Amino acid sequence: MPQEFYFEKCSTHPGQLIKFYCSECKKEACKKCKDNGHVNCRDIAHLPTLASDIQKSDELINFNKNMDQLSKDIKDTEKLLNAKSEVIKKQEENATDACIEHSNKLIATYKQQHQDLIDEFDKKMEETIARLKKERLELLQKVSEKERQFEEKVRKAETNIKEEVVKTNTNFKKLKFEHLNLVGNLKALTVDLEQAQKLGQNCELLIKLKLVKQMCKQIQVTTGQIQHSYIQQYKLLVSDIPPKVKSLENQKRFFSFDKVHASGVERRLTFIFDINHEFDCITSLLVLSEHTLLASDYDRCSLVIFSLEKSNAKYIKEIRFKTQPCGMTKVSDHKVAVTFPNKEKIRLITFSEEIKVLDTTEIPGHGFCFGIAHSNNYLVVSYYKSFTGSIKILNMLGKIVKSFNKDDNDQNLFPIPDFLTVSPDNTMIYVSDWSSNTVTCLTFDGKVKAIYKDDQLKRPQQLAVDEYESVYVCGCHSNNVHQLSHDLTKVKILLDNSHGILRPTSIAYCRKHKRLFVRMDYSSKIKVFNVSLE
């Protein structure tokens, strides 16, 4: 006979004791529940029998071992929550203070303008004092009512904009509340679980253990969401204060609230370390994985492989070819596509987990192919010859699917389109042109959406895009790296001489660790930076 008993009664059948546990439904059951509600369940067991060995089970032992790590993760997450909450609170306070300050200025200006009218009227009172006293009283009443209406109008606009400010980052606030609620419930359940374990209440312990494990999974989900959550940035713009009363009365909008796209938020870079190497003509960089960086060396006809560690990196291997490689793109976790323009070929190279070449497939390049990017199982390739460039989209067998080289006005799009990349959502192509000193954004149908040209960007080369759609482009002859928004609006010059940047040509971004790799001409170093939002 079983030696364990569970004296909780069924909520559906109060006269029945809970005697069973269904592993498929993850629910306890009485005899009637078992017979009626779990007819098709194959994994339903007698609860005391199932719980008899719970104290020595691997499930309980492993759970106890993992609780310390989960507690540490919870504490770290709470710190992150507090930090992000402080940023949001500060934003709200600043926006609220700005609203109040501008509202007061509007009202004060409006009142002052009316006071000027009153003062001017007072000067005429000496000539017609009797008549003007009555008129002045009427004017005061009229002005007072207008001021009341105007103040009500401004305060309403102020209230509306405050509500918009508070609604911003609502999702993060909800996530914060959900996470804190889960953590609170977990703490309470953990106490119950420990109590049941101490008292030897194995059935109670089994039930609580199942609940705690489910809640732990939910906390891990919210923890990941918090770590990758984006705090919406915004700008609060106030209207100009016109000099005339009538203009103020007719003004319909006193505030504007503009959300800033994540790609337009300024990035902050922190230098981590240099990757030292002995390769003179690295053409492009590619992050193959969080542990591997590839570089194409044009002069040495090779691919160079670097191993990336937490605090440094080192050269580990060189793969030689008979002709010069140029552009590279990641096709899958262990597969890359490399252009060989002088041979008018593209090679698909598959690596093992130890970064050994397992397979190489050659497909047609259809001309002097240079830059390359992978998108939705297609290859986007840039070409140029005699200062006439084009973009072609190939399937993975090398067949041309689309080709475009002219804009809507039938003008050539690019003289020398060296490098290109695609947006994270695979809707846009970004192309740098060495000759025209431009970066062009276009759709996969060849429609130009935006062109970036700046006096501080000269001879642009390789580009990179982060997960928030910010575009990074090397300015080789301007000795800098520009950060652009998704629509090619200039955000800032991210790197320049003050960061040790001289003739940058190659750039790559690691989304896993949020790192930027920058290689420069005539330098034996690849600089590595941490990237964070301002």
Side-chain angles (χ1 to χ4, degrees), residues 251-262:
Q251 192 165 329
K252 295 182 179 180
R253 192 170 186 179
F254 304 105
F255 306 95
S256 62
F257 181 80
D258 293 335
K259 292 183 179 180
V260 179
H261 191 278

Side-chain angles (χ1 to χ4, degrees), residues 368-383:
F368 194 84
C369 48
F370 202 89
I372 188 169
H374 178 260
S375 174
N376 291 330
N377 210 32
Y378 289 96
L379 297 175
V380 187
V381 187
S382 64
Y383 300 81

Side-chain angles (χ1 to χ4, degrees), residues 110 114 138-152 249:
Y110 188 77
H114 276 129
E138 293 174 353
L139 179 61
L140 284 172
Q141 292 173 345
K142 183 179 179 180
V143 165
S144 178
E145 177 60 21
K146 284 189 174 183
E147 286 178 354
R148 185 194 64 77
Q149 293 175 357
F150 182 76
E151 183 170 355
E152 182 180 336
E249 289 177 347

Side-chain angles (χ1 to χ4, degrees), residues 141-334:
Q141 292 173 345
K142 183 179 179 180
V143 165
S144 178
E145 177 60 21
K146 284 189 174 183
E147 286 178 354
R148 185 194 64 77
Q149 293 175 357
F150 182 76
E151 183 170 355
E152 182 180 336
K153 182 179 178 181
V154 172
R155 293 301 183 190
K156 184 177 180 180
E158 176 189 328
T159 300
N160 292 339
I161 203 70
K162 286 179 181 178
E163 289 176 354
E164 282 196 65
V165 168
V166 172
K167 287 179 183 178
T168 307
N169 294 306
T170 298
N171 291 336
F172 177 80
K173 294 174 184 177
K174 289 180 179 178
L175 181 61
K176 172 188 173 182
F177 176 80
E178 179 186 352
H179 181 79
L180 293 178
N181 190 43
L182 285 170
V183 171
N185 292 339
L186 177 65
K187 289 179 180 177
L189 279 174
T190 303
V191 171
D192 293 343
L193 186 145
E194 292 174 350
Q195 185 69 15
Q197 188 174 357
K198 289 179 181 178
L199 297 177
Q201 298 172 338
N202 291 345
C203 293
E204 184 77 16
L205 179 61
L206 177 64
I207 298 300
K208 298 296 183 185
L209 179 60
K210 300 293 185 182
L211 291 174
V212 170
K213 287 181 66 178
Q214 292 177 17
M215 193 163 292
C216 289
K217 290 180 180 179
Q218 291 176 311
I219 290 177
Q220 289 173 346
V221 171
T222 58
T223 298
Q225 291 173 336
I226 289 169
Q227 291 172 342
H228 295 92
S229 61
Y230 168 65
I231 297 177
Q232 177 65 58
Q233 305 290 312
Y234 53 85
K235 293 179 180 179
L236 181 68
L237 304 176
V238 296
S239 62
D240 294 332
I241 301 177
K244 299 296 183 182
V245 171
K246 200 65 178 176
S247 299
L248 274 172
E249 289 177 347
N250 294 332
Q251 192 165 329
K252 295 182 179 180
R253 192 170 186 179
F254 304 105
F255 306 95
S256 62
F257 181 80
D258 293 335
K259 292 183 179 180
V260 179
H261 191 278
S263 64
V265 178
E266 292 188 0
R267 300 303 192 263
R268 180 174 60 252
L269 296 192
T270 304
F271 175 74
I272 312 175
F273 55 80
D274 286 322
I275 303 176
N276 296 310
H277 62 85
E278 298 179 355
F279 302 92
D280 295 330
C281 194
I282 289 179
T283 309
S284 61
L285 297 176
L286 173 66
V287 176
L288 181 61
S289 71
E290 60 179 299
H291 302 300
T292 309
L293 177 70
L294 299 184
S296 62
D297 189 308
Y298 189 84
D299 284 352
R300 293 167 66 103
C301 301
S302 65
L303 289 186
V304 184
I305 302 172
F306 298 94
S307 173
L308 303 177
E309 303 297 337
K310 290 184 177 179
S311 58
N312 56 35
K314 59 183 179 180
Y315 157 74
I316 58 172
K317 189 181 298 184
E318 183 180 10
I319 302 172
R320 293 295 188 108
F321 302 99
K322 293 182 179 180
T323 186
Q324 297 92 339
C326 285
M328 299 184 294
T329 188
K330 181 178 176 179
V331 176
S332 62
D333 286 343
H334 298 288

Side-chain angles (χ1 to χ4, degrees), residues 72-132:
K72 180 179 179 299
D73 292 343
I74 290 172
K75 289 179 181 179
D76 292 342
T77 303
E78 287 175 350
K79 290 180 181 178
L80 182 60
L81 269 173
N82 291 334
K84 291 192 174 184
S85 296
E86 193 62 31
V87 173
I88 293 172
K89 179 181 178 183
K90 188 64 176 176
Q91 276 194 324
E92 292 177 355
E93 290 175 352
N94 290 342
T96 299
D97 291 343
C99 287
I100 295 171
E101 181 182 355
H102 189 64
S103 296
N104 292 336
K105 286 181 179 179
L106 286 167
I107 295 166
T109 301
Y110 188 77
K111 288 182 177 182
Q112 182 60 48
Q113 292 170 351
H114 276 129
Q115 187 61 46
D116 292 342
L117 286 176
I118 295 168
D119 292 341
E120 182 181 350
F121 186 83
D122 285 345
K123 292 179 182 179
K124 300 178 181 179
M125 286 181 60
E126 295 178 1
E127 298 176 4
T128 53
I129 190 68
R131 179 175 55 84
L132 291 181

Side-chain angles (χ1 to χ4, degrees), residues 335-351:
K335 190 173 185 178
V336 298
V338 184
T339 60
F340 293 83
N342 291 327
K343 289 293 184 180
E344 299 186 358
K345 298 291 184 181
I346 297 173
R347 289 186 181 178
L348 304 175
I349 304 173
T350 304
F351 296 96

